[in-house]
Amino acid sequence: MEKKGIRRPAVTLHVGIGTFRPVETEPVEAHTRDEERCIVPEETARAINEARAGGGRIVAVGSTSVRTLESVADENGVVRSGQGRSGLFIVPPYRFKVVDAMLTNFHLPKSTLLM
């Protein structure tokens, strides 16, 4: 990736047990997620904002990265650095502000990781 000029800035989401608690509500939107601490370094926010401004795509690796980036972005998709908490539960018809694509792992049905 680096040889092709693809940057890999990092984010952190401290995943808690609530992430793996099954969704048992109807409708699913009624499910309440536990908030989790997230960290977006300044260099990560800058790299993502520069890529977006230059027409680049943002590919998140992992649903936790997606939740983190979408949680710290403003309504125009500008990513802010810092520490905070995310309780974002992405369900259709969620409109993504930052992430264009995602690479992810296997997820159990009815989990909050991928709805």
Side-chain angles (χ1 to χ4, degrees), residues 53-72:
R57 292 174 33 126
I58 305 303
V59 179
V61 178
S63 56
T64 56
S65 297
V66 173
R67 289 199 327 267
T68 300
L69 292 174
E70 293 293 319
S71 293
V72 301

Side-chain angles (χ1 to χ4, degrees), residues 54-109:
R57 292 174 33 126
I58 305 303
V59 179
V61 178
S63 56
T64 56
S65 297
V66 173
R67 289 199 327 267
T68 300
L69 292 174
E70 293 293 319
S71 293
V72 301
D74 68 17
E75 57 278 347
N76 297 314
V78 176
V79 174
R80 300 176 312 262
S81 65
Q83 297 185 34
R85 300 194 65 77
S86 174
L88 182 61
F89 183 33
I90 299 175
V91 296
Y94 182 83
R95 184 176 167 94
F96 290 86
K97 301 173 285 192
V98 178
V99 176
D100 298 302
M102 173 178 65
L103 298 174
T104 192
N105 194 340
F106 174 77
H107 294 292
L108 295 173

Side-chain angles (χ1 to χ4, degrees), residues 10-51:
V11 299
T12 301
L13 180 69
H14 293 280
V15 178
I17 191 68
T19 291
F20 303 101
R21 194 170 293 126
V23 176
E24 297 175 343
T25 60
E26 277 296 328
V28 296
E29 295 83 1
H31 178 77
T32 303
R33 283 189 39 74
D34 295 341
E35 288 193 345
E36 300 161 316
R37 191 165 71 98
C38 59
I39 304 166
V40 177
E42 176 61 38
E43 56 272 13
T44 296
R46 183 175 36 258
I48 290 169
N49 292 330
E50 287 173 0

